[in-house]
mmCIF file of all heavy atoms in Angstrom:
data_model
loop_
_atom_site.group_PDB
_atom_site.id
_atom_site.type_symbol
_atom_site.label_atom_id
_atom_site.label_comp_id
_atom_site.label_asym_id
_atom_site.label_seq_id
_atom_site.Cartn_x
_atom_site.Cartn_y
_atom_site.Cartn_z
ATOM 1 N N PRO A 84 106.967 61.145 -29.123
ATOM 2 C CA PRO A 84 105.889 61.084 -30.093
ATOM 3 C C PRO A 84 106.140 60.056 -31.243
ATOM 4 O O PRO A 84 107.355 59.718 -31.451
ATOM 5 C CB PRO A 84 105.908 62.450 -30.634
ATOM 6 C CG PRO A 84 107.189 62.986 -30.442
ATOM 7 C CD PRO A 84 107.703 62.383 -29.125
ATOM 8 N N PHE A 85 105.077 59.598 -31.733
ATOM 9 C CA PHE A 85 105.213 58.590 -32.800
ATOM 10 C C PHE A 85 106.088 59.069 -33.929
ATOM 11 O O PHE A 85 106.907 58.326 -34.623
ATOM 12 C CB PHE A 85 103.876 58.091 -33.420
ATOM 13 C CG PHE A 85 102.921 57.481 -32.415
ATOM 14 C CD1 PHE A 85 101.662 57.898 -32.323
ATOM 15 C CD2 PHE A 85 103.433 56.623 -31.425
ATOM 16 C CE1 PHE A 85 100.839 57.393 -31.357
ATOM 17 C CE2 PHE A 85 102.551 56.004 -30.459
ATOM 18 C CZ PHE A 85 101.256 56.378 -30.425
ATOM 19 N N GLU A 86 106.039 60.296 -34.358
ATOM 20 C CA GLU A 86 106.737 60.840 -35.431
ATOM 21 C C GLU A 86 108.031 61.526 -35.055
ATOM 22 O O GLU A 86 108.573 62.467 -35.607
ATOM 23 C CB GLU A 86 105.923 61.830 -36.202
ATOM 24 C CG GLU A 86 104.557 61.274 -36.723
ATOM 25 C CD GLU A 86 104.787 60.365 -37.794
ATOM 26 O OE1 GLU A 86 105.781 60.339 -38.513
ATOM 27 O OE2 GLU A 86 103.797 59.488 -38.113
ATOM 28 N N TRP A 87 108.711 60.974 -33.963
ATOM 29 C CA TRP A 87 109.962 61.647 -33.398
ATOM 30 C C TRP A 87 111.000 61.810 -34.417
ATOM 31 O O TRP A 87 111.816 62.861 -34.360
ATOM 32 C CB TRP A 87 110.413 60.873 -32.186
ATOM 33 C CG TRP A 87 111.040 59.458 -32.571
ATOM 34 C CD1 TRP A 87 110.313 58.309 -32.683
ATOM 35 C CD2 TRP A 87 112.353 59.100 -32.903
ATOM 36 N NE1 TRP A 87 111.078 57.340 -33.066
ATOM 37 C CE2 TRP A 87 112.334 57.766 -33.161
ATOM 38 C CE3 TRP A 87 113.526 59.991 -32.985
ATOM 39 C CZ2 TRP A 87 113.580 57.205 -33.590
ATOM 40 C CZ3 TRP A 87 114.728 59.237 -33.376
ATOM 41 C CH2 TRP A 87 114.706 57.953 -33.672
ATOM 42 N N ARG A 88 111.237 60.949 -35.433
ATOM 43 C CA ARG A 88 112.250 61.082 -36.296
ATOM 44 C C ARG A 88 112.254 62.322 -37.169
ATOM 45 O O ARG A 88 113.221 62.849 -37.602
ATOM 46 C CB ARG A 88 112.245 59.896 -37.298
ATOM 47 C CG ARG A 88 112.808 58.608 -36.650
ATOM 48 C CD ARG A 88 112.831 57.432 -37.836
ATOM 49 N NE ARG A 88 113.133 56.222 -37.011
ATOM 50 C CZ ARG A 88 114.262 55.771 -36.676
ATOM 51 N NH1 ARG A 88 115.400 56.439 -37.062
ATOM 52 N NH2 ARG A 88 114.442 54.556 -36.097
ATOM 53 N N GLN A 89 111.096 62.897 -37.280
ATOM 54 C CA GLN A 89 110.889 64.118 -38.124
ATOM 55 C C GLN A 89 111.580 65.277 -37.530
ATOM 56 O O GLN A 89 111.865 66.315 -38.178
ATOM 57 C CB GLN A 89 109.471 64.470 -38.436
ATOM 58 C CG GLN A 89 108.722 63.498 -39.259
ATOM 59 C CD GLN A 89 107.310 63.723 -39.371
ATOM 60 O OE1 GLN A 89 106.736 64.656 -38.893
ATOM 61 N NE2 GLN A 89 106.598 62.785 -40.114
ATOM 62 N N ASP A 90 111.890 65.204 -36.215
ATOM 63 C CA ASP A 90 112.562 66.309 -35.476
ATOM 64 C C ASP A 90 114.070 66.286 -35.504
ATOM 65 O O ASP A 90 114.733 67.116 -35.040
ATOM 66 C CB ASP A 90 112.121 66.262 -34.087
ATOM 67 C CG ASP A 90 110.647 66.589 -33.955
ATOM 68 O OD1 ASP A 90 110.126 67.385 -34.686
ATOM 69 O OD2 ASP A 90 110.015 66.123 -32.875
ATOM 70 N N PHE A 91 114.678 65.353 -36.351
ATOM 71 C CA PHE A 91 116.135 65.220 -36.362
ATOM 72 C C PHE A 91 116.566 65.102 -37.833
ATOM 73 O O PHE A 91 116.019 64.309 -38.650
ATOM 74 C CB PHE A 91 116.615 63.940 -35.584
ATOM 75 C CG PHE A 91 116.249 64.024 -34.076
ATOM 76 C CD1 PHE A 91 115.124 63.395 -33.628
ATOM 77 C CD2 PHE A 91 117.112 64.597 -33.274
ATOM 78 C CE1 PHE A 91 114.841 63.377 -32.319
ATOM 79 C CE2 PHE A 91 116.836 64.648 -31.958
ATOM 80 C CZ PHE A 91 115.681 64.067 -31.413
ATOM 81 N N GLY A 92 117.624 65.768 -38.111
ATOM 82 C CA GLY A 92 118.346 65.579 -39.462
ATOM 83 C C GLY A 92 119.094 64.316 -39.414
ATOM 84 O O GLY A 92 119.361 63.700 -38.331
ATOM 85 N N GLU A 93 119.569 63.895 -40.512
ATOM 86 C CA GLU A 93 120.381 62.610 -40.642
ATOM 87 C C GLU A 93 121.614 62.719 -39.716
ATOM 88 O O GLU A 93 122.013 61.685 -39.209
ATOM 89 C CB GLU A 93 120.681 62.352 -42.132
ATOM 90 C CG GLU A 93 121.349 60.968 -42.291
ATOM 91 C CD GLU A 93 120.481 59.844 -41.836
ATOM 92 O OE1 GLU A 93 119.269 59.895 -41.922
ATOM 93 O OE2 GLU A 93 121.060 58.880 -41.373
ATOM 94 N N GLN A 94 122.166 63.819 -39.617
ATOM 95 C CA GLN A 94 123.415 64.031 -38.751
ATOM 96 C C GLN A 94 123.106 63.667 -37.334
ATOM 97 O O GLN A 94 124.114 63.259 -36.540
ATOM 98 C CB GLN A 94 124.071 65.392 -38.830
ATOM 99 C CG GLN A 94 123.301 66.471 -38.077
ATOM 100 C CD GLN A 94 122.141 67.227 -38.830
ATOM 101 O OE1 GLN A 94 121.603 66.523 -39.786
ATOM 102 N NE2 GLN A 94 121.873 68.347 -38.441
ATOM 103 N N TYR A 95 121.860 63.630 -36.822
ATOM 104 C CA TYR A 95 121.470 63.254 -35.504
ATOM 105 C C TYR A 95 120.989 61.725 -35.536
ATOM 106 O O TYR A 95 121.316 61.014 -34.666
ATOM 107 C CB TYR A 95 120.423 64.123 -34.982
ATOM 108 C CG TYR A 95 120.834 65.569 -34.736
ATOM 109 C CD1 TYR A 95 120.417 66.564 -35.528
ATOM 110 C CD2 TYR A 95 121.694 65.850 -33.785
ATOM 111 C CE1 TYR A 95 120.870 67.812 -35.328
ATOM 112 C CE2 TYR A 95 122.132 67.157 -33.406
ATOM 113 C CZ TYR A 95 121.680 68.200 -34.312
ATOM 114 O OH TYR A 95 122.143 69.476 -34.038
#
Side-chain angles (χ1 to χ4, degrees):
F85 299 135
E86 303 292 339
W87 68 270
R88 285 184 190 274
Q89 295 177 1
D90 292 331
F91 297 97
E93 189 57 35
Q94 74 272 26
Y95 295 106

